[in-house]
Amino acid sequence: MNKPLIVIGNGGHAAVLTETLIAQGEMILGFTTPTEEANRFGLNYLGTDQVIHNYSPKAIELVLGIGMLKPASFREVLFKELKVKGYRFKSVIHSATNIAPSVILGEGVQLMAGAIIQTATVIADNTIINTGAIIDHDGIIGAHVHIAPGTKISGDVRIGNSTHIGTGTTIIQGIHIGDSCLIGAGSVVVKNINNNTKAYGVPAKEV
Ligand SMILES: CC(=O)SCCNC(=O)CCNC(=O)[C@H](O)C(C)(C)COP(=O)(O)OP(=O)(O)OC[C@H]1O[C@@H](n2cnc3c(N)ncnc32)[C@H](O)[C@@H]1OP(=O)(O)O
């Protein structure tokens, strides 16, 4: 039986995850935020993130509802902190995704509506593949990555840990993008990109 869930966060990303989980019949105990807020789905406010420690890691699973707009985000920090304490993060996979059977998914991955993930792609822990993003065959996508909505990733592309690929980006086949990169929205990536690089434009250039 699925464990009851706690959603961390109450913004737009948390709302999309919550609506998906409700549609899938999951039991959500409530949400955490730094200060009390109303929740648009009527979820219970549980308290700050500290309240999670009142629950045994064996009794619940967590859903990380904090989005990510740049590398080394609070999302990544929180995931690592709570993993050390034994908590497990539920993967959220919208029913309207299309995922090839050979795809390998890490813990706590979030695959939003319309995502298409092709043969033999590997997606590591805590990565978001956002609405309508496409990853073609043999992709290797690191941990704590955000592939923002509508991104198109061709075959044999590698993306390092903690990298953000901005909305609507296109990446041609065989490209390697490093760790902790920030690729601006609407970019077209035609050359490899080193670690810790911000790049954008058509074609994408380091800035
Ligand atoms: C469900 C969701 O909503 S998920 C959210 C997904 N959101 C994203 O993916 C957003 C990604 N972020 C971006 O694209 C941002 O524009 C960033 C990170 C690239 C901005 O980088 P910054 O260095 O802060 O750029 P800044 O905003 O200061 O703009 C600097 C210049 O670059 C230009 N610029 C900024 N972003 C881009 C871009 N993506 N492509 C081309 N040019 C850009 C600006 O127009 C500006 O040009 P100007 O100097 O001629 O006026």
Side-chain angles (χ1 to χ4, degrees):
M1 205 176 91
N2 291 352
K3 292 181 178 170
L5 304 173
I6 293 177
V7 176
I8 302 172
N10 193 37
H13 188 63
V16 176
L17 294 166
T18 299
E19 192 162 39
T20 299
L21 292 164
I22 290 171
Q24 294 175 349
E26 296 287 348
M27 214 266 260
I28 305 175
L29 293 173
F31 70 99
T32 62
T33 47
T35 53
E36 185 163 4
E37 298 173 7
N39 176 274
R40 65 177 103 176
F41 301 103
L43 294 187
N44 295 320
Y45 176 65
L46 300 175
T48 69
D49 298 340
Q50 287 307 311
V51 82
I52 291 166
H53 301 106
N54 297 343
Y55 297 83
S56 159
K58 291 191 183 129
I60 57 159
E61 281 191 307
L62 301 173
V63 175
L64 197 30
I66 297 168
M68 164 186 167
L69 282 173
K70 56 182 184 181
S73 64
F74 182 54
R75 175 183 173 86
E76 176 174 345
V77 171
L78 209 50
F79 183 90
K80 289 176 175 168
E81 277 180 12
L82 288 161
K83 280 302 295 169
V84 166
K85 291 179 177 153
Y87 290 95
R88 196 170 162 79
F89 286 81
K90 183 177 179 63
S91 290
V92 180
I93 302 176
H94 193 279
S95 59
T97 54
N98 195 333
I99 304 163
S102 54
V103 166
I104 296 173
L105 299 176
E107 178 178 338
V109 296
Q110 299 174 340
L111 312 183
M112 307 313 228
I116 300 175
I117 305 173
Q118 273 292 14
T119 302
T121 288
V122 178
I123 299 176
D125 296 349
N126 195 32
T127 280
I128 306 167
I129 311 298
N130 222 322
T131 310
I134 295 172
I135 304 175
D136 218 298
H137 63 85
D138 300 296
I140 300 180
I141 314 295
H144 320 292
V145 168
H146 182 186
I147 308 293
T151 293
K152 292 178 185 149
I153 300 180
S154 308
D156 290 308
V157 168
R158 285 185 183 205
I159 296 178
N161 297 323
S162 314
T163 280
H164 175 91
I165 308 291
T167 298
T169 291
T170 297
I171 305 175
I172 68 164
Q173 74 286 349
I175 290 291
H176 292 190
I177 296 179
D179 295 337
S180 302
C181 293
L182 174 52
I183 308 300
S187 299
V188 177
V189 183
V190 298
K191 289 186 179 158
N192 293 345
I193 295 188
N194 294 325
N195 293 342
N196 304 304
T197 300
K198 177 157 72 173
Y200 53 73
V202 181
K205 294 216 160 63
E206 188 173 338
V207 288

